[in-house]
Amino acid sequence: MRKLMFALLGLLLAPVILAAPALDKLTLPKGFHIAVYSDAVPNAREMALGAKGTVFVGSNDAGKVYALTDSKGDGHADKVRVIASGLQLPVGVAFKNGDLYISAVSKILVLRDIENHLDNPPSPEVVFDKFPTDTHHGWKFIAFGPDNKLYVPIGAPCNICDKGQAYAKLTRMNADGSGLEDVAYGIRNTVGFTWRPGSGQLWFTDNGRDMMGDDMPSDELNKLSHVGEHFGFPYCHQGDTLDPEFGQGKNCKDYTPPVLKLGAHVASLGLRFYEGKQFPASYKGALFIAEHGSWNRSKKSGYRVMTVRLNGDKVASYEPLIEGFQQDEKAWGRPVDVQPLPDGSLLVSDDLAGAVYRVTYEKP
């Protein structure tokens, strides 16, 4: 019995060795190629691009934030630095005026002038420290909007609950942490938002609740039309389905429906509009969405990167860009975020494989 206990303890304490990304299992449209940008980023989550080309990556690995540099310009990060550690779930990163902002559950931190100090990073400064301390949906995707404000979500601290306007919302603040205000409500947990070039309108993903079966409710792609808009949670899901507990006496018509139902339990996370010139013209202005994949569905869904093409504010198509992160109900990768680069290629982070990939296009 003691031998068994020690053997189990040894397994628990043994270092986790990540399998090499199985890129040969991935499928992309004709002419597209995918390669490893870096496979040394454990639990890679949100990405942000620095002014000098540094790719910053948040994670939920030992509280670390990474900086990736491609000094040779060959499409591979030849240096991976840890620029912060010991933080609480620093999943979100946002770059502004030379500074890197980091989410850490209840706090927003900043690393000043970071690209000039990658080898000797400064200590994080606290910008704001009054967000809820709940870790259930407590890690945060963050981004600066065209109004120069930092947008920060506060996810519901539950699968399904009604906490009024204290949770399940999107907020924004000035870069110095002042002026916190609510932007939108009824958002269970957004782990991805971005602004459409030209209109400056905010678009975001939202994860649907669990425990309503394999096919209900759908994750959502939403757009914000005005400050104070309510997107339904916890009363109405996917724009047309009242919650069995909290929907009593409510009407889905009182809430903003999604632009697109993305599918149940796909775990839609990071998204970005594509404005590059490397991909075919049909991708200009399209949205790329990372779908992390289901955890409690009898048959897996998600585990892919999707393309949403728009005609005005209407969805024209919804189709895969990358598939194959799981085969036969076994996943080796889970996409988290997408980040276009200035050369028109696209980075994709994968927290399961601990990697960042680069997608390129060459005309066949």
Side-chain angles (χ1 to χ4, degrees):
M1 187 67 177
R2 285 172 60 86
K3 288 183 178 179
L4 177 60
M5 289 176 64
F6 279 116
L8 290 172
L9 182 62
L11 287 172
L12 288 172
L13 296 178
V16 176
I17 300 174
L18 297 172
L23 298 190
D24 59 324
K25 296 181 179 179
L26 298 177
T27 57
L28 295 87
K30 190 174 182 180
F32 284 89
H33 306 275
I34 188 167
V36 173
Y37 188 76
S38 174
D39 59 1
V41 196
N43 298 115
R45 298 289 297 193
E46 185 183 357
M47 296 179 287
L49 189 62
K52 297 183 178 181
T54 310
V55 176
F56 297 102
V57 188
S59 80
N60 54 358
D61 169 57
K64 295 177 181 176
V65 178
Y66 297 86
L68 283 54
T69 51
D70 171 16
S71 61
K72 300 175 184 176
D74 60 0
H76 301 277
D78 51 273
K79 184 165 277 193
V80 177
R81 301 172 174 92
V82 175
I83 55 171
S85 60
L87 306 181
Q88 186 181 24
L89 302 174
V91 164
V93 286
F95 187 86
K96 186 73 172 176
N97 296 332
D99 301 331
L100 184 70
Y101 292 75
I102 303 167
S103 67
V105 183
S106 63
K107 300 177 182 179
I108 300 296
L109 310 168
V110 64
L111 300 177
R112 301 291 185 193
D113 194 28
I114 184 60
E115 282 187 294
N116 291 322
H117 299 91
L118 293 175
D119 289 317
N120 186 24
S123 297
E125 297 177 17
V126 176
V127 172
F128 188 88
D129 62 359
K130 293 179 175 58
F131 286 117
T133 58
D134 311 74
T135 54
H136 192 138
H137 297 154
W139 56 25
K140 294 170 171 60
F141 181 104
I142 59 175
F144 278 94
D147 54 7
N148 293 316
K149 292 180 181 289
L150 182 65
Y151 285 66
V152 184
I154 301 177
C158 56
N159 171 39
I160 183 78
C161 58
D162 188 353
K163 299 289 186 179
Q165 294 187 347
Y167 293 85
K169 64 183 179 180
L170 182 63
T171 70
R172 65 185 175 192
M173 66 175 72
N174 297 319
D176 63 2
S178 65
L180 180 70
E181 62 180 335
D182 293 346
V183 175
Y185 304 104
I187 303 167
R188 179 175 178 267
N189 188 36
T190 178
V191 196
F193 41 88
T194 191
W195 289 264
R196 192 174 188 181
S199 71
Q201 192 169 46
L202 186 147
W203 291 63
F204 65 95
T205 56
D206 192 15
N207 288 185
R209 65 157 291 180
D210 298 313
M211 310 309 174
M212 278 183 69
D214 271 4
D215 300 314
M216 287 291 293
S218 180
D219 279 13
E220 301 175 3
L221 173 63
N222 296 290
K223 64 179 176 67
L224 182 74
S225 298
H226 59 86
V227 171
E229 202 164 2
H230 198 297
F231 291 86
F233 180 86
Y235 317 117
C236 175
H237 308 295
Q238 65 175 39
D240 57 15
T241 302
L242 290 174
D243 187 80
E245 180 181 358
F246 295 97
Q248 188 172 358
K250 304 294 184 179
N251 190 327
C252 281
K253 292 181 180 179
D254 294 332
Y255 309 106
T256 302
V259 175
L260 177 65
K261 298 177 186 178
L262 299 173
H265 307 294
V266 298
S268 52
L269 302 184
L271 76 167
R272 298 291 196 288
F273 283 96
Y274 183 76
E275 288 295 298
K277 297 179 179 179
Q278 185 179 134
F279 295 179
S282 63
Y283 287 88
K284 184 86 170 189
L287 263 174
F288 292 125
I289 302 178
E291 295 184 353
H292 197 228
S294 58
W295 64 270
N296 64 341
R297 196 171 183 270
S298 60
K299 186 175 181 180
K300 284 182 167 56
S301 60
Y303 298 92
R304 59 193 181 178
V305 176
M306 299 295 287
T307 303
V308 177
R309 291 187 179 87
L310 300 170
N311 183 2
D313 284 347
K314 303 291 186 182
V315 173
S317 64
Y318 176 50
E319 61 189 27
L321 177 71
I322 312 171
E323 289 186 296
F325 288 101
Q326 66 95 7
Q327 285 91 23
D328 302 321
E329 297 300 299
K330 295 180 180 178
W332 62 266
R334 302 188 79 182
V336 176
D337 196 16
V338 289
Q339 175 62 63
L341 292 182
D343 67 357
S345 62
L346 179 76
L347 297 183
V348 178
S349 60
D350 176 350
D351 65 344
L352 182 57
V356 174
Y357 314 116
R358 180 170 173 260
V359 179
T360 55
Y361 178 81
E362 291 183 14
K363 190 173 182 179

